[in-house]
Every structure is written in structure tokens, then in C-alpha cells.
Amino acid sequence: MASLLLAQKVHPRVVMEIMGHSQISLTLGTYSHVAPELSTDAADRMAATLWDTTNSDKPQQKPEKEAEKEPEAE
């Protein structure tokens, strides 16, 4: 049950309370290792925050300095 709740992104503190654990380290140490998608999701969220991957279909703009250096078409 704990693994399923953690996979559903239920806060670990809530899972700890449901399971009756006295320390969150017991909950996370025992159950979170079986769900590698949790760390993948965290990495995806960080990437979206840093690089705005949600708008990856938009063309990225070049920095102004690089745009100025491009030769004009003849």
C-alpha cells in the first residue's frame, strides 16, 4: 500500500501516518526504493523548471550577440 501511495505522489508524511510509522525514514527507506519512476518524475520536473521543456515545440531564440554575428544572405 505504501509503495502504491508514494507512486501516486501522496506526500510521504501522509503515507507515514497511514502506515503507523513513527519515523518518515522507515517509510521512505522501506517503500520508496521500489518506485524508480518517482526519481524520474522529480528529474523531469526539475528539467521543466530549468529549461521550460513544456514549451519544447517552440523554436528557441538565439542570444542577441549570436544573432548579430550571422552573415546576411546575398
Side-chain angles (χ1 to χ4, degrees), residues 5 9 11-12 15 23 25 28 30-34 39 45 48 51-52 58-59 61 69-70 72:
L5 290 170
K9 299 178 181 62
H11 193 280
V15 178
Q23 296 181 351
S25 60
L28 293 174
T30 305
Y31 299 102
S32 63
H33 73 279
V34 297
S39 60
R45 289 176 185 228
W51 298 292
D52 194 17
K58 293 181 181 179
Q61 296 178 350
K69 292 179 183 178
E70 291 183 13
E72 294 181 13

Side-chain angles (χ1 to χ4, degrees), residues 3-16:
S3 297
L4 294 173
L5 290 170
L6 291 169
Q8 293 298 316
K9 299 178 181 62
V10 173
H11 193 280
R13 182 72 57 183
V14 174
V15 178
M16 180 190 91

Side-chain angles (χ1 to χ4, degrees), residues 45-53:
R45 289 176 185 228
M46 185 58 70
T49 300
L50 293 173
W51 298 292
D52 194 17
T53 58

